[in-house]
Amino acid sequence: QAEDGIRDCLLSRGLGDVYKRQVLIRAKVNQGREHITLCELYETLGANTKAEQCSVRWGVRRMKDWGMIKKTSRRGVYEVIS
């Protein structure tokens, strides 16, 4: 069990998958863009199943916690903080 609760969301996946997705999300965020959408992240990261999409959402949550992105008023759209 991870101390941050990530593993609860992904019973069939190891934490390595979650952290790999976080690195990929961070790379996508750091491309000099102003906004990023969940749909873009799902497509870029190949998140086709509900478990994989849950993993992406956990990564997005971490990016918000770290102050790299913030939620906008539009659903599934995040502002990239430079």
Side-chain angles (χ1 to χ4, degrees):
Q1 178 69 21
E3 67 279 356
D4 55 9
I6 291 174
R7 196 171 186 102
D8 292 340
C9 184
L10 301 169
L11 298 176
S12 64
R13 294 189 171 270
L15 280 175
D17 289 340
V18 175
Y19 293 124
K20 285 177 201 170
R21 288 189 193 280
Q22 286 179 8
V23 168
L24 292 171
I25 292 168
R26 187 177 304 145
K28 187 81 171 165
V29 165
N30 288 334
Q31 289 180 341
R33 309 218 8 232
E34 292 183 17
H35 294 90
I36 195 162
T37 68
L38 268 179
C39 290
E40 267 183 289
L41 291 173
Y42 292 158
E43 186 177 318
T44 301
L45 300 171
N48 300 317
T49 67
K50 287 187 182 235
E52 290 168 339
Q53 290 175 357
C54 184
S55 174
V56 170
R57 287 191 305 274
W58 271 106
V60 167
R61 182 177 290 175
R62 293 291 160 238
M63 297 298 112
K64 285 185 346 191
D65 290 347
W66 296 332
M68 298 180 76
I69 60 175
K70 70 178 183 179
K71 189 142 177 52
T72 65
S73 59
R74 297 184 338 203
R75 182 179 178 165
V77 178
Y78 297 87
E79 180 182 345
V80 176
I81 301 169
S82 17

